[in-house]
Amino acid sequence: MQNQQEVNRLKDIVQNLLDEAKQQGATAAEAGLSQENGLSVSVRLGDVETIEHHCSQGLGITVYFGQRKGSASTTDLSVESIKETVSAACSIARYTSEDEYAGLPEKALLATSFPDLDVNHPWAITADEAIALAIECEDAARHYDAEITNSEGASVNTHQGIHVLGNSLGFLHGSLSTRHSLSCSVLAQRGESMQRDYWYTVARNANNLEAAVEVGQKAAQRTLRRLEGRSLSTRQCPVLYSAEIASGLLSSFIGAISGGNLYRKSSFLLDALDTQVFPGFVHIHEQPHLIGASGSSAYDSEGVATHTRDLVTDGILRSYVLGTYSARKLGLHSTGNAGGVRNLTIDPGVLDFDGLLKQMDTGLLVTELMGQGVNILTGDYSRGAAGFWVEKGQIQYPVEEITIAGNLKDMLRNIVAVGNDVDYRGNVRTGSILVERMSIAGQ
Amino acid sequence: MKILNLAKQAILVPAGIQDADIEKIMARLLTSSVDAADIYFQSSHSESWVMEGGIIKEGSHSIEQGAGVRAVSGEKTGFAYSDRIELPVLLEAANNVRAIGRQGQEAQIGLIHAANTVQYYPVANPLKSLGEQQKIDLLRQVDTQTRKLDHRIEEVIISLSGVHETILVANQDGSLAGDIRPLVRMNVSVIVVENGRREQGSMGGGGRSDYNYFVELNRGLEYGREAVRQALVNLEAQEAPAGNMTVVLGSGWPGILLHEAIGHGLEGDFNRKGTSAFSGRVGERVASDLCTVVDDGTIPGRRGSLSIDDEGTPTENTVLIENGILKGYMQDKLNARLMGVKSTGNGRRESYASLPMPRMTNTYMLAGKYNPEEIIKSVKKGLYAKNFAGGQVDITSGKFVFSASEAYLIEDGKITRPVKGATLIGNGPDVLTKVSMVGTDLELDSGVGSCGKEGQSVPVGVGQPTLKIDGITVGGTSV
Ligand SMILES: [Zn+2]
């Protein structure tokens, strides 16, 4: 297989890097290399807008001289460049400090088995076929309704990457993965009100993408329903995070239990291990070995084996999210989370989306969040929002130009329900999440 | 030596690429009937150092280089790039992208060196402006001095980074232009703790200069002092109010209001496509007559400045809004051609691996006539937002947000107590119509801005004098 030959060629380069590091006096080293190829096409108003051919590569190395560390990276994979990159890393290590926590992972934690997670499915699509698919998608959106008046276009992307990771403890592995997506964004106009929204589908295997027409229609529906949005008066009320943005809430939670923020004491969840962080019905786990999922991998970015595990059971925090360095700083062991969590899942509840609206009765459905107003140190949360006002379980009218605010600590504890309308597209899988009460600021 | 020759020496000579090779690649691109084509070469050396927990914890060095080849026909663009600057690879890339145009005549082009343009920054490599030991000493000095400022300081994290980037861009008319761009940045963030309450503060700066910038005027130490001051203010801060109120924005970095609320909406691509809330509004009033806003890539040494943009066009001082009237958009070549205007030198790209588009440089509002104290004094009840974290905008609906990192209540014309966690949300096309006072104290930010658009990040600058806005929604928790 040609791909496997290429993986082997890149593994040889990584091994050369590691050997070169040893040659130059490093006591330990870790190196990574990635190569990506892809095609992106975008169409707008029924015609081609861009055709982009992607082809990139890069390698990086971290060397250790005892407890001192230095890193370097380059996009040039030539033999001379490898030598220079290693010596750049080594020369940096002469100036960094001794850090007793620095170093490679414990050898016993490194991955030794590499199950096929079914994440590599190249898509044999030509530029012309991709254009046709994108046009089909955009057409479905543009012709959905007369109020769809303009378009930002539709695009088809396909990428294949080879990632090789090695270290001087003998770990050396290469993996192939693919990622394909189709997205569409259109504008709608009614009187003075102009709105834009989008929809996308993404998968490891192109067969699992939503149909082009479906993506286009969803983009159109999502855009149309925002027309003539208004602000709300300032108030407190329940807030329902729709599934596609609820993942952001969980990502903030993950940020707060991540090693880097914990050892720096910049988290609102310091010393929260084994305490109640969510209500008792909440269970959150990580499933890095899910077949064909977006976050699936047998090892983390340091080569440490990943494991299926619980982070939260019965609302109680059971584990932090740690890489090697932060684990050592905290006197713990890596949880295989260098580079983040993989396929994080919150157990869905029994209610579907309509059921959640009914349970909320009167409140705000949020479908879009804007800005960076999340402070992981204090938990203070204040973000721009758009969505819909809901009364008696029924959507009344679109809402925009408001903010929603609270403190994450309270918000997580005051989750009332998690829906079964799970959005499986991303690395964080959740249904819609209903929070009991937040502050809304508006007109 | 001319910049162009230095740039050729840095990129083409090591790769063994001659002028004749560029002519060959261009000729290949032009075998299709295209309206425009360019070849963009880039070589970038960067480094960063991090001090944390009182030790030099991390250092890294990075080399990135490659070339991107583009052909444009009407509104269609073909694009390919490679990390390998080699003739056969680039000819292959040209083959791939020329398919965007109709089959046409074989073209001949002769490379002409672009005329010298004004340089707004030095060409010397900032990475070499201090020895390694001097960089370490600078970090240690800032760390030690900062830690001494207050007993409530628990942690100090300092980062220092530098980039030395060289670009060359060849256009279909045969012109070849080059630029050498230094960029340095330093940041100090601190965590303070008092009675179990923990808060942070952060301050940084930089520009198209070298590391001596942080030594001069003790700027590094000043960042530390300012980070500590902000963190201590946050220790006192209480819940922010929620609702619509009068807001006074401080000078300098709060200029991200302009960047988010109107800047993005005035980029040429959105306006050509009619997707911006500002589309088709040139000549109309979009701000109170106190407001004049420009995008100026020509300010020496600023983070957002460029001598030429990434399409080889010299940057300008472009008037966007004059006395409240919308004057024009920011353009790259493609959108300028399609809209029948000329490029304003705003064609920028993150790297050779991405397509250029209209982007801001340094966007700011000119000074007005009021004393900043007078402005505060005129507010009965409101918010004084002195500093901000980031922001975001939806250019179609015009809604934008930005988050205050330091804010105070104004009560009876006086700044009273600090509040935390306030996000401001407004509507781009009307927020500036509510500007009722503009201060004399125009200030540009300290050189920390990065702007993201369609996944591409570029360094930018912002600025403004103290401003009063009559009515904007403040999203606190205190209802
Ligand atoms: Zn921006």
Side-chain angles (χ1 to χ4, degrees):
Chain A
M1 223 185 104
Q2 205 188 339
N3 275 334
Q4 203 49 53
Q5 274 172 22
E6 185 63 0
V7 172
N8 290 336
R9 186 181 77 85
L10 298 181
K11 276 167 85 168
D12 288 345
I13 296 179
V14 169
Q15 191 57 55
N16 285 344
L17 264 170
L18 295 169
D19 293 345
E20 179 64 31
K22 197 168 183 186
Q23 201 80 42
Q24 296 194 22
T27 50
E30 176 185 272
L33 191 163
S34 61
Q35 192 178 73
E36 298 203 26
N37 284 289
L39 172 72
S40 304
V41 306
S42 66
V43 303
R44 179 170 176 268
L45 301 179
D47 208 350
V48 181
E49 193 170 45
T50 60
I51 302 175
E52 301 183 46
H53 302 269
H54 302 279
C55 170
S56 63
Q57 55 185 24
L59 61 83
I61 183 157
T62 296
V63 297
Y64 296 92
F65 284 76
Q67 296 306 111
R68 296 164 179 280
K69 157 180 146 168
S71 305
S73 67
T74 180
T75 52
D76 180 356
L77 307 193
S78 66
V79 176
E80 313 84 81
S81 163
I82 284 177
K83 275 210 166 73
E84 284 166 23
T85 305
V86 171
S87 66
C90 293
S91 106
I92 282 170
R94 281 198 283 277
Y95 294 96
T96 51
S97 311
E98 297 270 337
D99 183 346
E100 58 174 308
Y101 306 103
L104 297 177
E106 289 93 279
K107 191 169 182 181
L109 297 180
L110 296 174
T112 51
S113 66
F114 305 96
D116 179 6
L117 298 174
D118 200 33
V119 291
N120 185 45
H121 291 274
W123 190 6
I125 188 169
T126 64
D128 284 343
E129 289 163 350
I131 290 164
L133 189 67
I135 289 177
E136 183 189 355
C137 178
E138 197 207 23
D139 276 352
R142 286 173 62 210
H143 301 141
Y144 186 82
D145 191 288
E147 285 182 328
I148 299 289
T149 51
N150 199 347
S151 172
E152 281 215 322
S155 66
V156 170
N157 297 283
T158 172
H159 280 267
Q160 180 176 41
I162 303 179
H163 301 276
V164 176
L165 180 68
N167 66 29
S168 55
L169 298 172
F171 183 91
L172 181 61
H173 195 260
S175 61
L176 286 150
S177 63
T178 51
R179 189 176 190 82
H180 320 290
S181 66
L182 169 61
S183 66
C184 182
S185 170
V186 287
L187 282 79
Q189 189 143 21
R190 184 185 302 152
E192 290 284 282
S193 176
M194 182 161 76
Q195 293 290 347
R196 176 179 46 116
D197 212 323
Y198 67 97
W199 190 250
Y200 72 95
T201 173
V202 56
R204 298 288 197 183
N205 183 333
N207 293 333
N208 298 333
L209 291 173
E210 282 176 44
V213 169
E214 211 176 302
V215 171
Q217 288 178 344
K218 272 192 199 163
Q221 288 160 0
R222 292 173 62 83
T223 304
L224 289 164
R225 65 181 189 170
R226 297 179 65 154
L227 284 170
E228 296 182 326
R230 40 185 138 142
S231 187
L232 289 173
S233 61
T234 298
R235 67 186 71 182
Q236 293 204 330
C237 68
V239 171
L240 178 60
Y241 283 75
S242 69
E244 67 271 19
I245 59 152
S247 55
L249 263 188
L250 295 182
S251 298
S252 297
F253 159 68
I254 293 299
I257 60 163
S258 291
N261 284 327
L262 291 172
Y263 84 72
R264 292 185 183 99
K265 296 195 174 143
S266 54
S267 162
F268 68 93
L269 289 178
L270 289 184
D271 306 317
L273 206 57
D274 298 319
T275 67
Q276 196 85 37
V277 172
F278 289 90
F281 66 85
V282 170
H283 312 285
I284 300 175
H285 46 271
E286 198 191 357
Q287 300 172 287
H289 302 160
L290 269 185
I291 297 300
S294 74
S296 300
S297 174
Y299 53 91
D300 72 2
S301 64
E302 296 177 318
V304 172
T306 54
H307 300 284
T308 298
R309 65 201 191 97
D310 292 324
L311 285 174
V312 173
T313 57
D314 303 321
I316 294 169
L317 179 62
R318 304 294 181 183
S319 172
Y320 292 139
V321 169
L322 308 172
T324 299
Y325 183 82
S326 60
R328 283 184 191 142
K329 289 285 271 190
L330 294 164
L332 299 167
H333 289 286
S334 169
T335 56
N337 286 113
V341 292
R342 298 180 173 276
N343 302 326
L344 189 81
T345 307
I346 183 166
D347 280 0
V350 294
L351 296 176
D352 62 7
F353 180 69
D354 286 332
L356 288 170
L357 285 179
K358 285 207 177 71
Q359 174 165 356
M360 176 164 77
D361 189 70
T362 297
L364 179 69
L365 164 64
V366 176
T367 55
E368 182 178 280
L369 288 167
M370 289 175 80
Q372 295 90 30
V374 182
N375 184 333
I376 295 296
L377 192 162
T378 59
D380 291 328
Y381 182 102
S382 173
R383 303 190 67 185
F388 301 86
W389 182 247
V390 175
E391 279 173 23
K392 297 197 176 74
Q394 301 285 324
I395 288 176
Q396 303 295 312
Y397 51 84
V399 168
E400 62 181 7
E401 206 176 335
I402 56 164
T403 64
I404 58 174
N407 185 283
L408 279 166
K409 216 170 178 170
D410 304 326
M411 288 159 60
L412 299 182
R413 219 178 281 143
N414 296 335
I415 289 176
V416 185
V418 178
N420 61 17
D421 54 335
V422 181
D423 184 344
Y424 289 102
R425 291 175 299 178
N427 188 37
V428 175
R429 304 153 153 246
T430 175
S432 300
I433 294 179
L434 178 57
V435 178
E436 192 178 19
R437 183 159 289 270
M438 290 182 71
S439 299
I440 315 292
Q443 297 279 279
Chain B
M1 209 188 319
K2 263 178 71 177
I3 297 283
L4 181 57
N5 287 329
L6 288 169
K8 287 172 77 171
Q9 208 114 55
I11 302 178
L12 301 183
V13 172
I17 299 271
Q18 316 279 330
D19 280 9
D21 297 327
I22 297 178
E23 289 168 4
K24 244 183 247 170
I25 302 165
M26 189 58 81
R28 183 74 62 93
L29 283 169
L30 297 177
T31 54
S32 284
S33 67
V34 296
D35 294 306
D38 60 13
I39 311 164
Y40 182 85
F41 298 91
Q42 183 189 17
S43 166
S44 160
H45 292 234
S46 59
E47 68 171 359
S48 75
W49 297 90
V50 178
M51 179 152 193
E52 183 185 331
I55 63 170
I56 305 295
K57 196 161 129 175
E58 282 175 30
S60 65
H61 184 268
S62 168
I63 299 177
E64 209 186 323
Q65 61 176 39
V69 175
R70 171 172 70 147
V72 184
S73 170
E75 299 185 27
K76 300 177 191 171
T77 300
F79 177 60
Y81 62 89
S82 173
D83 313 289
R84 290 169 23 209
I85 304 182
E86 297 162 18
L87 183 59
V89 173
L90 296 176
L91 284 172
E92 173 65 22
N95 273 343
N96 275 332
V97 308
R98 66 177 170 169
I100 206 77
R102 294 172 308 279
Q103 276 304 314
Q105 302 291 317
E106 181 81 28
Q108 278 300 328
I109 71 137
L111 221 49
I112 336 146
H113 287 189
N116 268 340
T117 49
V118 191
Q119 279 297 119
Y120 301 116
Y121 29 81
V123 296
N125 185 349
L127 277 55
K128 302 235 160 85
S129 61
L130 291 180
E132 308 300 298
Q133 193 55 49
Q134 290 172 298
K135 296 172 197 169
I136 303 307
D137 291 345
L138 170 63
L139 286 166
R140 287 194 184 282
Q141 194 195 356
V142 173
D143 182 69
T144 312
Q145 299 287 333
T146 303
R147 285 177 189 273
K148 279 188 194 152
L149 291 175
D150 196 283
H151 65 279
R152 289 165 288 185
I153 297 170
E154 184 179 65
E155 178 61 294
V156 176
I157 302 173
I158 309 167
S159 63
L160 178 71
S161 61
V163 185
H164 193 226
E165 178 185 85
T166 306
I167 66 129
L168 276 171
V169 53
N171 278 293
Q172 82 276 7
D173 59 6
S175 66
L176 181 69
D179 196 13
I180 298 177
R181 303 164 173 172
L183 188 65
V184 293
R185 166 94 201 258
M186 187 177 199
N187 196 78
V188 182
S189 66
V190 302
I191 296 179
V192 295
V193 60
E194 184 176 44
N195 301 328
R197 179 168 172 180
R198 245 185 201 82
E199 293 284 352
Q200 61 200 1
S202 139
M203 178 65 193
R208 296 204 181 276
S209 178
D210 65 35
Y211 291 136
N212 290 305
Y213 181 83
F214 305 115
V215 179
E216 289 157 13
L217 305 173
N218 280 326
R219 282 192 181 97
L221 298 178
E222 283 307 313
Y223 298 154
R225 201 180 306 275
E226 175 61 16
V228 171
R229 188 193 64 75
Q230 285 191 21
L232 295 178
V233 168
N234 285 337
L235 276 180
E236 310 290 314
Q238 293 164 27
E239 291 193 341
N244 199 280
M245 62 194 76
T246 300
V247 172
V248 176
L249 299 176
S251 60
W253 179 241
I256 54 168
L257 165 83
L258 305 169
H259 178 101
E260 300 297 352
I262 61 152
H264 279 294
L266 298 181
E267 289 166 343
D269 45 355
F270 300 129
N271 289 285
R272 168 177 65 84
K273 297 175 184 174
T275 59
S276 164
F278 289 97
S279 299
R281 297 192 57 189
V282 171
E284 289 181 25
R285 172 165 298 282
V286 295
S288 79
D289 56 12
L290 306 172
C291 301
T292 294
V293 180
V294 300
D295 183 81
D296 186 357
T298 71
I299 315 170
R302 300 299 307 184
R303 183 174 164 86
S305 297
L306 291 174
S307 302
I308 55 170
D309 72 2
D310 293 321
E311 298 183 306
T313 310
T315 55
E316 299 174 6
N317 180 354
T318 308
V319 178
L320 302 175
I321 295 173
E322 190 169 27
N323 302 322
I325 307 297
L326 180 57
K327 287 291 170 184
Y329 304 121
M330 289 167 275
Q331 301 286 6
D332 65 354
K333 283 186 171 169
L334 173 104
N335 290 287
R337 179 172 52 78
L338 293 170
M339 291 181 82
V341 294
K342 67 179 201 42
S343 169
T344 52
N346 287 90
R348 303 184 64 184
R349 61 204 291 177
E350 183 180 76
S351 78
Y352 61 89
S354 27
L355 280 167
M357 47 188 169
R359 303 295 297 264
M360 285 173 262
T361 59
N362 304 295
T363 314
Y364 61 93
M365 183 184 289
L366 304 192
K369 60 178 184 193
Y370 292 97
N371 219 305
E373 294 82 50
E374 254 178 289
I375 298 179
I376 300 281
K377 210 176 279 176
S378 74
V379 179
K380 184 116 187 71
K381 192 169 186 307
L383 189 80
Y384 173 50
K386 188 167 188 289
N387 220 329
F388 284 90
Q392 194 185 336
V393 64
D394 175 335
I395 49 111
T396 301
S397 70
K399 303 299 176 273
F400 67 89
V401 299
F402 53 141
S403 306
S405 58
E406 183 182 356
Y408 302 83
L409 285 186
I410 308 175
E411 292 166 303
D412 290 325
K414 290 195 185 71
I415 291 171
T416 54
R417 59 188 171 83
V419 295
K420 61 172 185 171
T423 288
L424 271 56
I425 186 160
N427 184 34
D430 66 37
V431 67
L432 291 190
T433 63
K434 298 179 190 168
V435 170
S436 60
M437 293 173 100
V438 177
T440 51
D441 56 339
L442 167 62
E443 209 183 304
L444 299 177
D445 77 282
S446 60
V448 295
S450 289
C451 168
K453 176 177 172 185
E454 289 173 30
Q456 293 192 43
S457 174
V458 296
V460 295
V462 298
Q464 68 178 28
T466 298
L467 290 187
K468 179 167 118 178
I469 301 175
D470 293 338
I472 185 167
T473 298
V474 177
T477 46
S478 165
V479 176

